[in-house]
Amino acid sequence: MKRPNIKGSIRQRLVAMLLLSAGAIGVLLYLVVQSVASQIAQESQDNILAASAISILDSARVQQGEISIDLPYSALSMLDSVTDERAFYAIRLNDDFLSGYEKLPRSKDFAGGDTTFQSASYLGQDIRIASTRRSYSIEGEQAFLEVSVAQTLTGLNQTLARVSQIALTVGVGFFLFSAVVALLIALSTIRPLHRLTESVSRRGPADLRPVAAPVPTEMAPLVLSLNSLMGRLQKSLSQSEHFIAEAAHRVRTPLAIVRTQAEITLRRVEKEENRKSVREMIRAIDESSRTAGQLLDHAMVTFRTDNLADETVDLSELVTDVVERLSPLSDLKDIEIAILKLEPVAIKGDAILLQSALHNILDNAIKYSSGQTQVALSLTKQDGFADIVISDSGPGFQDGDTEALLKRYARGQNAEGVVGSGLGLTIVDEVMRAHGGSITLSNNAGGGACVTLSFPLD
């Protein structure tokens, strides 16, 4: 059987796509969690820095044309209460430095409001600075009091690192969970296809029924195409069977007519050389008729064994019927077909094939027997088998012939001069094997061939 041209796997492709999606979602989840956590932490720190700066600014007072600031303790202690960070501050009146850390970076843009935030580096550390300012009237002139409060980012960065690690753990966990779910989804998605495959593969060669098992919507076109193919195959097989039967009829009938006419001509011809020619013509007609007939029988057997009928066959009735059909031929050769024993036996099988097999055996027995002899037949049951035994008084089988004679076109060493095609025993062997039985070729003790057809009984 030719192997299918396989390219890729739906299950692997589905798992890969789901894993890629899960990986992308995991990375996105990691980035989103990290960004949101960083933003929340930054906003929290900015709010505390702004509150600290405003608290310092609120403590400023203008007295006698000068500004005084009573730095509140809580303004810087609130920074220590949140994280263990270093805090810095700077107070300026316009461009004049009043108190704190003079080198602390100063905000240069208050265009967005009275409070600004910036990140900078101070004393070798990363810091976050909140600056706010308020205008005062000092000696009739407007002045801006600016307060900047800064805090290092060490603790914040450590917090963000922990959040990142948690986000990474969540992302990896989500990916692993998604991988398991993706595998289960892939198996579940492919399962209907496996069920359909098992349903079709369990069928016998003759089972061409449409697929009736429920399938998903996506598989409906496949099942429709499969059912359509089975329908066309069933129709084609039926047409082949009818063609074989019709061909057998149309070939055998004209040859039989030609043979009859040749026989009539032989009786009218007086010259010996002409009679010899007509006899050779009759023999050629017999050869052609038998060969054509058995080729068609073999084609029919091959077709029907692939589509074996499962009907109850009464072997005793079948034997009686075949014997009656061959009685004219045996009477013509003055050979008696004697049924010695006929036990009632019923088996499951194809009556037409069984009839063809028995017909071939009896036809061979008559063909190889001489006149005024007997072909004996019996049907018996023993040891779980039904045996049909046919014995004749012909030359029997030569040593080494019994296995070789079951092959196509094989003829016995003593068959020279006897019309035949070498397909009779092949047909019988194929029919017996199709029914689970066997054929045994042997010789009778007193001479002649003995053929035994054994059928297993349930």
Side-chain angles (χ1 to χ4, degrees):
M1 180 180 295
K2 183 179 180 181
R3 293 178 60 82
N5 184 11
I6 298 175
K7 185 178 181 181
S9 164
I10 295 177
R11 182 177 60 185
Q12 293 177 357
R13 187 176 302 174
L14 186 58
V15 170
M17 293 180 66
L18 290 173
L19 288 180
L20 284 176
S21 301
I25 293 175
V27 172
L28 183 63
L29 180 64
Y30 168 76
L31 295 176
V32 168
V33 170
Q34 189 183 41
S35 174
V36 170
S38 176
Q39 186 176 358
I40 291 174
Q42 189 69 73
E43 287 179 355
S44 176
Q45 187 182 37
D46 287 350
N47 290 335
I48 294 173
L49 289 173
S52 176
I54 291 172
S55 176
I56 294 174
L57 198 60
D58 289 342
S59 66
R61 297 289 184 273
V62 178
Q63 295 177 348
Q64 298 177 354
E66 292 184 355
I67 192 164
S68 65
I69 302 173
D70 185 11
L71 189 65
Y73 173 76
S74 60
L76 298 178
S77 64
M78 69 174 62
L79 298 177
D80 295 335
S81 62
V82 178
T83 57
D84 187 17
E85 301 282 4
R86 294 182 64 187
F88 310 96
Y89 75 95
I91 303 173
R92 296 179 179 86
L93 182 62
N94 291 331
D95 293 330
D96 297 332
F97 175 76
L98 300 182
S99 177
Y101 295 83
E102 187 177 4
K103 301 295 182 182
L104 188 68
R106 184 182 181 186
S107 175
K108 298 180 180 178
D109 184 12
F110 284 92
D114 291 335
T115 303
T116 63
F117 303 93
Q118 62 177 324
S119 298
S121 179
Y122 182 65
L123 299 178
Q125 290 184 293
D126 294 330
I127 59 172
R128 183 70 173 173
I129 305 171
S131 299
T132 184
R133 69 176 183 174
R134 188 176 298 168
S135 64
Y136 292 88
S137 178
I138 300 175
E139 295 179 350
E141 294 182 0
Q142 187 181 24
F144 285 96
L145 180 64
E146 179 184 332
V147 177
S148 296
V149 177
Q151 190 180 34
T152 57
L153 297 176
T154 305
L156 179 63
N157 291 335
Q158 292 175 352
T159 302
L160 290 178
R162 287 196 299 272
V163 171
S164 298
Q165 187 174 6
I166 293 173
L168 181 61
T169 303
V170 172
V172 172
F174 173 78
F175 177 77
L176 295 177
F177 175 75
S178 299
V180 176
V181 173
L183 185 59
L184 295 177
I185 290 175
L187 292 176
S188 176
T189 303
I190 298 298
R191 189 171 295 119
L193 192 57
H194 285 314
R195 284 202 298 268
L196 176 62
T197 303
E198 292 175 358
S199 173
V200 175
S201 60
R202 282 199 303 267
R203 294 186 174 200
D207 191 351
L208 297 176
R209 293 173 300 158
V211 176
V215 294
T217 304
E218 291 77 7
M219 291 176 60
L222 173 62
V223 174
L224 285 175
S225 300
L226 189 60
N227 288 343
S228 176
L229 176 62
M230 288 186 174
R232 294 197 301 272
L233 184 58
Q234 179 69 57
K235 185 178 179 180
S236 175
L237 292 174
S238 179
Q239 290 175 344
S240 297
E241 184 180 17
H242 291 153
F243 171 78
I244 292 171
E246 184 67 17
H249 173 70
R250 290 183 178 275
V251 169
R252 284 169 175 159
T253 301
L255 289 175
I257 294 174
V258 171
R259 191 185 190 287
T260 302
Q261 293 298 323
E263 288 280 359
I264 294 173
T265 302
L266 179 62
R267 293 175 190 151
R268 294 174 181 173
V269 173
E270 295 180 354
K271 292 184 178 179
E272 183 57 31
E273 60 270 23
N274 292 337
R275 292 177 62 85
K276 182 180 179 182
S277 299
V278 174
R279 279 196 293 269
E280 290 177 353
M281 182 175 66
I282 292 174
R283 179 180 174 79
I285 293 171
D286 287 342
E287 291 275 3
S288 300
S289 177
R290 188 170 185 82
T291 301
Q294 289 207 317
L295 283 172
L296 292 170
D297 285 345
H298 186 254
M300 185 269 292
V301 168
T302 302
F303 169 78
R304 293 188 71 92
T305 50
D306 289 338
N307 303 271
L308 193 66
D310 187 22
E311 56 190 2
T312 301
V313 180
D314 188 329
L315 282 183
S316 58
E317 290 184 2
L318 187 139
V319 167
T320 304
D321 181 63
V322 174
V323 170
E324 289 178 356
R325 287 171 182 265
L326 287 172
S327 292
L329 179 62
S330 63
D331 292 343
L332 189 63
K333 293 190 65 174
D334 198 16
I335 295 173
E336 179 191 5
I337 302 178
I339 300 177
L340 305 180
K341 193 172 184 180
L342 198 61
E343 296 184 5
V345 177
I347 64 171
K348 288 287 187 180
D350 191 314
I352 294 177
L353 292 183
L354 294 172
Q355 193 176 60
S356 176
L358 186 58
H359 184 279
N360 274 281
I361 295 297
L362 284 175
D363 185 56
N364 278 346
I366 295 171
K367 187 170 59 177
Y368 286 99
S369 297
S370 54
Q372 296 183 343
T373 56
Q374 185 185 73
V375 173
L377 186 150
S378 64
L379 170 60
T380 58
K381 293 189 294 185
Q382 61 179 354
D383 300 331
F385 286 88
D387 294 332
I388 298 177
V389 181
I390 302 102
S391 299
D392 61 41
S393 55
F397 302 108
Q398 297 292 318
D399 292 340
D401 276 356
T402 52
E403 291 295 330
L405 289 177
L406 300 180
K407 298 180 180 177
R408 292 180 184 177
Y409 311 114
R411 303 199 66 195
Q413 299 174 12
N414 55 359
E416 186 176 357
V418 181
V419 174
S421 63
L423 286 172
L425 292 178
T426 303
I427 292 173
V428 178
D429 183 49
E430 291 182 359
V431 171
M432 294 307 296
R433 283 191 282 111
H435 288 80
S438 62
I439 176 175
T440 303
L441 307 180
S442 60
N443 290 317
N444 295 318
C450 178
V451 179
T452 303
L453 306 181
S454 297
F455 298 91
L457 299 175
D458 296 332

